[in-house]
Amino acid sequence: MERPTTAAEAVAVQERLRPLVRTDRPLPPVRTAAGLDVAYFPGSDRLVAAVTVLDVETLSTVDSRAVRGTADFPYLPGLFAFREAPSLLRALDGLTTSPDVLVCDGQGLAHPRRFGLACHLGVLTGLPSIGVGKTALGRYDPPGEERGATSPLLLDGEVLGRALRTRRGVKPVFVSVGHRCDLDSACELVLRLAPHHRLPETTRTADRLGRDLS
């Protein structure tokens, strides 16, 4: 991964890689899904990058890897990938199982330059990837209350994702395509991965692993 040192250099990397994103076909059959999350040590740039690989049918963890590192790029909106992706890529390299899809705790196309963390990791690894954000980057109308209800997520008047209700009575999550999938199949997979809680089990297990080590 390229390691720019300034915001301008980082934006140039995003602009150069963005045309490589593919969003025109459904996900291929998915047996395993990797959750990716980063936990920071309090008041520090030291971090733990955690990856857990789940069997999609049983939601059991079949592989995991966590690495400690330091975020050496500034904390700047729209450029989080340059803080977190280097350590996440190290964690992915340490897996013994190759996941069928990456499910990132962050954004994909729902990004000012249409190249969030999920897009960045998808392009660099060549794997299908999905962004599942806890907060909306853009505007949306609340979806219906029933599980599986969606509404468009808009940024600059463009539909870049969906607000997805994974559980009745809780706030939706915000799904956007990262790479090598379309929005319909991304939302379908996120629902499969979130049978009981707001967040998909991929995110929950990766978050737990990272917090246990930070």
Side-chain angles (χ1 to χ4, degrees), residues 29-52:
V30 175
R31 293 174 298 176
T32 57
L36 297 90
D37 192 29
V38 172
Y40 288 87
F41 288 81
S44 170
D45 285 331
R46 293 188 303 126
L47 57 81
V48 176
V51 179
T52 53

Side-chain angles (χ1 to χ4, degrees), residues 37-163:
D37 192 29
V38 172
Y40 288 87
F41 288 81
S44 170
D45 285 331
R46 293 188 303 126
L47 57 81
V48 176
V51 179
T52 53
V53 182
L54 273 56
D55 180 299
V56 172
E57 292 300 323
T58 65
L59 298 182
S60 59
T61 301
V62 297
D63 198 2
S64 64
R65 180 72 171 175
V67 300
R68 288 185 171 91
T70 301
D72 56 9
F73 191 83
Y75 187 88
L76 297 172
L79 299 174
F80 295 149
F82 297 96
R83 288 177 62 83
E84 301 185 349
S87 295
L88 286 169
L89 289 169
R90 285 174 52 214
L92 284 167
D93 285 343
L95 294 173
T96 58
T97 302
S98 180
D100 295 322
V101 61
L102 308 179
V103 182
C104 301
D105 178 33
Q107 311 294 341
L109 292 179
H111 179 273
R113 285 171 294 281
R114 297 7 178 202
F115 199 74
L117 176 65
C119 297
H120 209 139
L121 290 173
V123 167
L124 292 181
T125 63
L127 293 170
S129 60
I130 299 168
V132 183
K134 300 183 187 75
T135 57
L137 186 62
R139 183 179 60 81
Y140 71 100
D141 292 324
E145 286 298 318
E146 69 276 10
R147 170 177 159 83
T150 66
S151 62
L153 178 64
L154 301 167
L155 186 61
D156 303 323
E158 182 180 2
V159 176
L160 295 179
R162 287 180 191 155

Side-chain angles (χ1 to χ4, degrees), residues 165-197:
R165 189 85 66 186
T166 53
R167 187 180 180 192
R168 179 181 288 274
V170 299
K171 185 179 177 181
V173 295
F174 304 94
V175 180
S176 58
V177 169
H179 184 49
R180 291 184 57 200
C181 66
D182 63 14
L183 191 53
D184 286 340
S185 60
C187 289
E188 289 170 7
L189 179 62
V190 172
L191 274 179
R192 291 177 65 189
L193 294 171
H196 305 301
H197 300 278

Side-chain angles (χ1 to χ4, degrees), residues 3-19:
R3 304 290 287 268
T5 59
T6 68
E9 290 173 354
V11 169
V13 171
Q14 291 179 329
E15 297 286 5
R16 186 167 66 254
L17 294 180
R18 181 177 60 184

